[in-house]
Structures are given as structure tokens and as C-alpha cells.
Amino acid sequence: MGKDAGVMIRDLEAADEAAWRHLWAGYVAFYEASVPEAVTAHTWSRILDPAAPLLGRIALVAGRPAGFSLSVLHEGTWARDQVCYLEDLFVDPDVRGRGVGRDLIQDLVDLGHARGWATLYWHTRTDNPARRLYDSFLPADDFVRYRLHLK
């Protein structure tokens, strides 16, 4: 666990919707982006759908929502076991520096070992201050991302 021994991480549940939406809004604002309500609602419904390949985790500090991770589990072509893509990670600015982000990533590392995932991976902007945290897990590789929007 990170610097704050009061951090608990668990799957997101239906009762967490308002808290998650509040954190989600902060995450989207951090990236100076906008996500249509229909997409946010669809994302939430997939988080709760056990058949969807989306894994939603929430970090609680002293029982209060403090951050989340959203990951996509998928098959890969370079491994036989499942792969986990950490797509979204956010920690409430009021609790940053207390180890919550580290705990959220370590939570996925631990789940990956327990569930037999082949790989856990993520990407971020080059100027994201959280890269100090990410670099403490492993150095960034030399891949470049290309993204072609189809809609």
C-alpha cells in the first residue's frame, strides 16, 4: 500500500455512480476534453456489466472515493493469456501525493498476477506529471502511438 494506510481498492459498484461521475468529470477536465453524456452513461453501464471486458476499480481513502482505474481486458497476438490495458487512471487532486495512484497501479499488478494476465500496459501524454509515478514501475518503451478516429 502507498503512503496512506487508509486506502482500500475494490471493484466499482452501482452505488458508486455519483462518486465515479464526479471523479470522471475531474479526469476529463484534466485532459481538457469533453465526453458526451451518452458515452459516459455507456461507459458506466459497461463497468457494471460482468460480461463486458471493462474492469472498473475505485480507491477509497478513509471510506471516501479518492480515485479510480478503468482497464480493458483483451486477447493478444503475442501471448496466450489475457492482456490488460489500463485506459484511465485518476486521483482526486485533494489526495494526490498520498500513494493512491501507486496503489491503483499496484492493485492491477496484483490482480494480473492472481488472474494470470500476460501483460499490463498503459500510455500517457509526454507532459503528464504522473510519469514520475509510472517511471517508478518501469521505464517507458520506445513505441509511438498512432490514433485514427473513425467516427
Side-chain angles (χ1 to χ4, degrees), residues 5 9-10 13 20-21 33 38-39 44 60 65 67 73 75 78 80 86 89-90 94 96 112 120 124 130 133 144 147:
I9 300 173
R10 62 166 171 75
E13 301 169 351
W20 175 79
R21 282 176 172 269
V39 173
W44 180 250
L60 305 168
L73 302 170
E75 304 253 336
W78 290 32
R80 295 182 64 179
L86 170 56
L89 177 75
F90 182 74
D94 291 342
R96 288 188 187 152
L120 166 65
T124 193
L133 167 63
V144 177
R147 189 160 86 184

Side-chain angles (χ1 to χ4, degrees), residues 112-128:
H113 285 299
R115 297 178 183 180
W117 300 340
T119 307
L120 166 65
Y121 70 100
W122 63 92
H123 66 265
T124 193
R125 290 194 323 207
T126 57
D127 63 348
N128 187 337

Side-chain angles (χ1 to χ4, degrees), residues 31-100:
Y31 278 107
E32 300 174 339
S34 64
V35 176
E37 169 53 30
V39 173
T40 295
H42 183 68
T43 298
W44 180 250
S45 70
R46 289 185 305 135
I47 290 168
L48 298 181
D49 181 353
L54 190 59
L55 173 64
R57 304 285 281 170
I58 188 166
L60 305 168
V61 173
R64 294 185 57 224
F68 70 87
S69 68
L70 296 180
S71 302
V72 178
L73 302 170
H74 64 90
E75 304 253 336
T77 58
W78 290 32
R80 295 182 64 179
D81 297 314
Q82 200 167 39
V83 174
C84 179
Y85 168 50
L86 170 56
E87 186 165 357
D88 305 306
L89 177 75
F90 182 74
V91 174
D92 186 318
D94 291 342
V95 296
R96 288 188 187 152
R98 293 171 62 179
V100 177

